[in-house]
Amino acid sequence: MKILVTGGLGFIGSHTVVELQNKGFEVVIIDNLSNSSTAVLEGITSITNQLPLFENIDLRDKDAVHNFFEKYTDIAGVIHFAASKAVGESVEKPLLYYENNIGSLVYLLQELQNLPEAHFIFSSSCTVYGQAEKMPIDENSPIQAAMSPYGNTKQIGEEIITDVTKVSNIKAILLRYFNPIGAHSSAAIGELPLGVPQNLVPFITQTAMGLRKELSVYGNDYPTPDGTCIRDYIHVVDLAKAHVVALQRLLDKKNIEKVEIFNLGSGVGSSVLEVIEAFEKVSNQKLAYKIANRREGDVTMAYANTDKANSILGWKTQLSLEEAMESAWKWEQKIRS
Ligand code: WQD
């Protein structure tokens, strides 16, 4: 049986394709190459010796999506990553985000609702919680008004999926990621930030590589032990494995409800300064950084309550922050060599 991975040439998508192949699944990737390249196919294949099927399709093209399901009639499950995901860009170009992230999802679901059964894993985000009151954050934490169009597309996406499962044979699992970082230990795949990285870890590794003058730490006057923001950084390989476990749960019909939600994090909160410290330890070099002003829209603290994923999915992270930073650094050195 084939598994469709949309956005399968992206950061989390490519790592998930590797883990699916490791578990014996045949994978077909849809990607429009807007934020990735076909070189990632070679990276995946160099790890697993299995070349995934690949269709260069833009999911905003309704007919192309329909034709895909005419061609592939044996799709047993779908893991949907394809979406625009830069928070700042979404504020400047909201319609790009609503058209891409919502439009693509609707066209995909329109095809799935016609199948006798469909198993759908959705890439969601802890941003749906905004600044949660209670730490660690569990799945019952209230959904707060989105702080960006990007975050809103995740909230709306969850609602669309929930509504469709009520009137179709689609069963879904929504995975709310915390902060994915790191790269596959082979350094054959990793995060390919185009342009100036918005996220912390690629900015750190690019600074260490000399591509950036220094890292700006966005504020050290937060109400946290060292004054910098706290996040739950999860190794992308651990995150990828969670997708395979979630898919298998649906394929084995172990899901209790038609829509299930899981927070995916390490359960540990790390501050920006602690991430820098972890990097300096694994790279054995000092990082150039300065304290700068707070970044608009940042929450002070967010880390996951992982009880539900641990107990119901039977999944928990295995890799540490230091292992993630080490793999991120190895990847940065590889792509710049
Ligand atoms: C982490 C911390 C920054 C860069 C975002 C998205 C979220 C998800 C993950 C998609 C914050 C600080 C950062 C820098 C810094 N993406 N920082 N200097 O904002 O927690 O989450 O990525 O789903 O939706 O919102 O991640 O890596 O941008 O920031 O000090 O140059 O690092 O202030 O405290 P964030 P991030």
Side-chain angles (χ1 to χ4, degrees):
M1 51 185 158
K2 290 188 185 69
I3 304 300
L4 166 60
V5 180
T6 73
L9 295 183
F11 175 38
I12 306 167
S14 55
H15 287 82
T16 302
V17 169
V18 165
E19 298 308 325
L20 284 166
Q21 291 183 323
N22 286 345
K23 289 291 184 188
F25 288 103
E26 188 181 0
V27 175
V28 53
I29 291 169
I30 284 181
D31 203 298
N32 70 357
L33 302 176
S34 62
N35 191 27
S36 58
S37 86
T38 50
V40 176
L41 275 174
E42 291 146 36
I44 291 168
T45 309
S46 73
I47 297 168
T48 63
N49 288 321
Q50 300 169 61
L51 179 66
L53 296 165
F54 168 57
E55 299 285 352
N56 181 351
I57 290 171
D58 190 319
L59 293 174
R60 288 170 295 190
D61 180 342
K62 184 183 170 79
D63 293 338
V65 175
H66 179 71
N67 295 339
F68 173 88
F69 283 92
E70 293 279 292
K71 177 176 176 184
Y72 294 91
T73 55
D74 56 348
I75 298 291
V78 179
I79 304 182
H80 180 46
F81 293 104
S84 304
K85 64 149 189 135
V87 173
E89 183 187 47
S90 78
V91 174
E92 286 148 35
K93 302 173 183 170
L95 287 178
L96 179 89
Y97 275 68
Y98 289 115
E99 182 197 36
N100 188 31
N101 295 7
I102 304 300
S104 300
L105 175 64
V106 167
Y107 293 153
L108 204 47
L109 293 171
Q110 282 174 335
E111 296 303 324
L112 296 182
Q113 73 174 351
N114 299 328
L115 300 179
E117 62 173 3
H119 306 106
F120 193 72
I121 306 291
F122 180 64
S123 165
S124 189
S125 171
C126 64
T127 45
V128 302
Y129 298 117
Q131 176 54 75
E133 294 296 312
K134 192 166 72 71
M135 291 297 143
I137 302 173
D138 67 28
E139 289 80 357
N140 297 316
S141 187
I143 302 300
Q144 309 224 32
M147 296 167 81
S148 70
Y150 161 76
N152 205 22
T153 65
K154 290 302 179 185
Q155 289 184 13
I156 296 168
E158 292 192 357
E159 289 165 14
I160 291 171
I161 294 163
T162 302
D163 288 346
V164 170
T165 57
K166 291 172 185 160
V167 293
S168 70
N169 294 317
I170 299 173
K171 297 179 186 62
I173 291 182
L174 314 178
L175 298 177
R176 292 175 179 165
Y177 312 154
F178 281 69
N179 287 57
I181 63 169
H184 191 269
S185 56
S186 63
I189 53 175
E191 193 169 4
L192 275 173
L194 302 178
V196 179
Q198 298 305 304
N199 293 129
L200 177 64
V201 173
F203 206 107
I204 287 177
T205 56
Q206 287 193 14
T207 300
M209 208 65 207
L211 298 172
R212 309 287 163 203
K213 178 169 168 290
E214 63 187 349
L215 169 77
S216 294
V217 173
Y218 295 143
N220 70 343
D221 58 350
Y222 285 93
T224 61
D226 67 16
T228 64
C229 293
I230 289 173
R231 296 288 185 277
D232 183 330
Y233 297 95
I234 173 173
H235 196 300
V236 65
V237 171
D238 277 329
L239 184 61
K241 289 178 176 173
H243 287 76
V244 182
V245 170
L247 175 71
Q248 197 64 59
R249 176 177 172 83
L250 292 182
L251 294 174
D252 295 347
K253 303 194 186 328
K254 288 193 176 145
N255 57 304
I256 310 291
E257 299 153 290
K258 294 197 79 177
V259 181
E260 294 183 326
I261 299 172
F262 295 95
N263 285 350
L264 296 182
S266 68
V268 175
S270 302
S271 74
V272 176
L273 293 181
E274 286 171 328
V275 174
I276 292 171
E277 192 182 332
F279 176 77
E280 291 181 331
K281 184 174 174 198
V282 301
S283 64
N284 200 22
Q285 66 181 64
K286 295 300 284 176
L287 185 80
Y289 69 89
K290 68 178 182 186
I291 304 298
N293 292 331
R294 291 184 176 195
R295 179 174 67 176
E296 187 69 29
D298 273 340
V299 297
T300 301
M301 194 180 295
Y303 58 95
N305 178 321
T306 58
D307 292 349
K308 191 177 174 189
N310 299 164
S311 59
I312 295 181
L313 274 189
W315 167 91
K316 66 185 305 186
T317 51
Q318 306 294 321
L319 298 164
S320 68
L321 174 64
E322 287 184 3
E323 286 171 300
M325 295 310 288
E326 191 169 16
S327 65
W329 181 225
K330 188 178 167 194
W331 165 250
E332 184 70 55
Q333 292 172 295
K334 163 84 180 309
I335 56 177
R336 308 296 173 191
S337 60

